Amino acid sequence: MLNAIINQITKLGEKVINFVYAFIKNIGESFLLLINFILRKPELSKTLNIGLLQLYHLGFKSLLIICLSALFIGVVIAIQGYQLLTIFNSSSALGSMVSVAIVRELAPVVSALLYAGRSGSALTAEIALMKSTEQLSSLDMMSINSIHRVIGPRFWASFFSLPLLNFIFIAVSIYGGVLVGITWKGIDSGSFYSNIAATVGLTDLLNSTLKSFIFSFFIAWIAVYRGYSSMPTASGISKATTLTVVQSSISILLIDLLLTIYLYGS
Amino acid sequence: MRISAKIYFVTGLFVVLVLISISYTSTILGINKVGENKQTYTLSATFNNIGSLKDGASVRIGGVQIGRVSKISLNNEYQPEVFIKIAKQYDKIPSSSIISIKTNGILGDKYLDIQLGFDDGSGDFLVNGSQFTTTNGAIILEDLIGKFLYSQ
């Protein structure tokens, strides 16, 4: 009886130690992978075309989902805000409410979540399948460095797509707010726009871009690492894709919390 | 790796779209009046206190909007001076008209209200650049409450 309990506790301890070990090993591996292609002279002549192609696949093809969700979110926030603000007879503050919510929080976070779901998972799946069909190994065998040739351009393309999509998200969702506020509810356009200009400035736009760059760095990093370190089996690919989406979503929300405290907390 | 011309084109289109949205956003965040190039003329008025009147606030006659505040500054005697742009079609405002700052409800935005003066048929109208002679400044709620409290 006592032995059985001790056995169970031993197994538990072993699991915890294994988990912590794997966690630290993951961090070390992914960091080394990152350093491997960040700290080197870029060979633009060889990798620019690959990066452009990835910018098309990861960035441009996300345009539809980003635009649609931006429009819906802008419209929904404007409708809810209008209901609330008419109670205080200050519906012309709708513009500033919508644009503060969009520019400071919703645009970087929602576009990052959508991007992680659409493009991050695709990136992981592509790299993981390349690995499981031994395409990466064959590149290495032909003395072409697969990390520099395959992983690097994909990382950079992914890193630069999200901030671009963030700008589009902001513009489209503010336009959604304008549609509801001015076109539908008939708020006076002058006070609508001047309220926006009074509350949201260039600093907010820059902060939003900063957030977006940091999110996209982590999404690209996680996606690339999960693909590169996946088990070369069918279930390994699916596990890697799931882990990409889960881990990047959680890290986006956590980093957003920290950044918001840092940028707006005081 | 060869890339087809279509992908170059589409990626370029993507970047152009981004530039368009950046310019749209910065226009909205930076400039008060967008897409208004109607014919207007400018009047000015000096108040003792403008309260929280903002650029772009509306100017109304009997509740109907006829123009906007275009600029707010202090004049040489450090009195707030408000410049307003009024649509060209409303160019028959008598020069004895009174302009006052009013509020939408209690918490709402400030706007300018013009009460038309007496038109004696001499054709004495406000023209581009002229100034209102009689103005009523903003009613500051705190001042009113203070007066009420200390007059007891």
Side-chain angles (χ1 to χ4, degrees):
Chain A
M1 180 64 196
L2 194 67
N3 269 345
I5 294 176
I6 290 176
N7 258 343
Q8 288 301 317
I9 294 176
T10 316
K11 275 182 189 167
L12 192 69
E14 205 180 322
K15 272 186 185 168
V16 169
I17 289 175
N18 277 343
F19 177 77
V20 172
Y21 175 75
F23 184 71
I24 294 176
K25 186 168 150 275
N26 271 347
I27 291 179
E29 264 181 24
S30 56
F31 197 68
L32 283 179
L33 179 73
L34 190 69
I35 283 179
N36 202 337
F37 58 80
I38 277 192
L39 293 183
R40 63 186 286 273
K41 209 171 100 235
E43 293 172 5
L44 280 181
S45 58
K46 281 180 190 164
T47 53
L48 187 66
N49 273 358
I50 308 173
L52 264 181
L53 192 67
Q54 291 304 317
L55 193 68
Y56 168 74
H57 282 301
L58 300 174
F60 181 79
K61 284 190 172 173
S62 312
L63 208 55
L64 186 66
I65 182 174
I66 292 280
C67 281
L68 275 183
S69 42
L71 188 68
F72 296 159
I73 285 178
V75 167
V76 162
I77 287 191
I79 292 174
Q80 296 287 1
Y82 183 77
Q83 298 288 338
L84 190 66
L85 289 172
T86 38
I87 298 175
F88 304 109
N89 208 349
S90 49
S91 54
S92 59
L94 182 67
S96 43
M97 179 186 160
V98 170
S99 52
V100 163
I102 297 290
V103 173
R104 290 191 185 165
E105 290 298 330
L106 283 172
V109 173
V110 174
S111 62
L113 289 175
L114 291 171
Y115 185 79
R118 191 212 164 278
S119 297
S121 58
L123 197 59
T124 306
E126 190 186 8
I127 295 176
L129 193 71
M130 277 184 170
K131 191 184 180 194
S132 71
T133 51
E134 298 184 345
Q135 296 180 36
L136 296 183
S137 318
S138 3
L139 277 180
D140 283 332
M141 207 186 76
M142 291 185 283
S143 84
I144 298 172
N145 191 328
S146 62
I147 293 180
H148 297 167
R149 191 61 183 247
V150 174
I151 311 282
R154 281 173 173 72
F155 176 87
W156 288 116
S158 178
F159 177 65
F160 284 112
S161 320
L162 180 56
L164 301 182
L165 291 170
N166 180 40
F167 282 122
I168 293 180
F169 193 104
I170 292 175
V172 173
S173 50
I174 288 184
Y175 181 69
V178 169
L179 271 185
V180 171
I182 296 175
T183 317
W184 182 11
K185 302 290 185 186
I187 297 172
D188 177 55
S189 66
S191 49
F192 189 90
Y193 286 124
S194 69
N195 269 321
I196 294 182
T199 42
V200 187
L202 185 65
T203 336
D204 292 305
L205 204 60
L206 289 181
N207 285 343
S208 172
T209 315
L210 174 75
K211 271 187 180 180
S212 200
F213 265 116
I214 294 177
F215 294 159
S216 90
F217 176 80
F218 279 94
I219 294 172
W221 186 13
I222 291 171
V224 160
Y225 171 66
R226 281 294 159 205
Y228 194 70
S229 68
S230 67
M231 298 283 284
T233 56
S235 69
I237 296 176
S238 94
K239 200 181 163 196
T241 322
T242 313
L243 275 177
T244 300
V245 175
V246 170
Q247 290 181 343
S248 26
S249 305
I250 289 191
S251 53
I252 287 164
L253 294 172
L254 176 67
I255 293 164
D256 180 58
L257 172 66
L258 298 178
L259 275 178
T260 304
I261 292 174
Y262 173 68
L263 293 172
Y264 296 104
S266 56
Chain B
M1 184 191 279
R2 303 281 305 160
I3 301 183
S4 68
K6 180 198 151 207
I7 286 181
Y8 278 126
F9 173 75
V10 170
T11 313
L13 198 71
F14 177 46
V15 177
V16 169
L17 267 177
V18 171
L19 291 181
I20 290 174
S21 20
I22 291 178
S23 49
Y24 174 75
T25 314
S26 36
T27 316
I28 280 191
L29 298 188
I31 300 172
N32 285 345
K33 291 170 289 291
V34 181
E36 280 193 23
N37 46 6
K38 290 178 204 154
Q39 294 278 311
T40 57
Y41 66 104
T42 308
L43 301 176
S44 69
T46 316
F47 296 93
N48 50 10
N49 194 333
I50 59 163
S52 60
L53 189 74
K54 286 188 199 118
D55 272 4
S58 58
V59 180
R60 303 175 190 176
I61 294 180
V64 179
Q65 187 183 337
I66 58 161
R68 292 191 189 295
V69 172
S70 64
K71 187 185 153 197
I72 296 174
S73 61
L74 286 179
N75 66 5
N76 295 334
E77 290 131 28
Y78 293 138
Q79 277 185 318
E81 190 170 24
V82 177
F83 293 87
I84 58 179
K85 278 192 174 156
I86 292 178
K88 207 77 184 195
Q89 50 176 318
Y90 305 108
D91 58 349
K92 296 275 189 294
I93 300 175
S95 48
S96 56
S97 300
I98 303 172
I99 189 164
S100 40
I101 300 179
K102 295 199 169 168
T103 314
N104 260 338
I106 290 182
L107 297 166
D109 271 3
K110 294 264 189 288
Y111 68 93
L112 289 172
D113 184 66
I114 298 177
Q115 280 169 325
L116 290 183
F118 178 63
D119 177 18
D120 54 2
S122 62
D124 195 9
F125 298 120
L126 290 171
V127 292
N128 190 21
S130 55
Q131 199 170 17
F132 283 94
T133 45
T134 321
T135 61
N136 287 327
I139 293 168
I140 312 289
L141 209 57
E142 288 89 333
D143 292 354
L144 279 186
I145 295 171
K147 264 182 207 161
F148 175 73
L149 283 180
Y150 292 115
S151 64
Q152 294 292 312

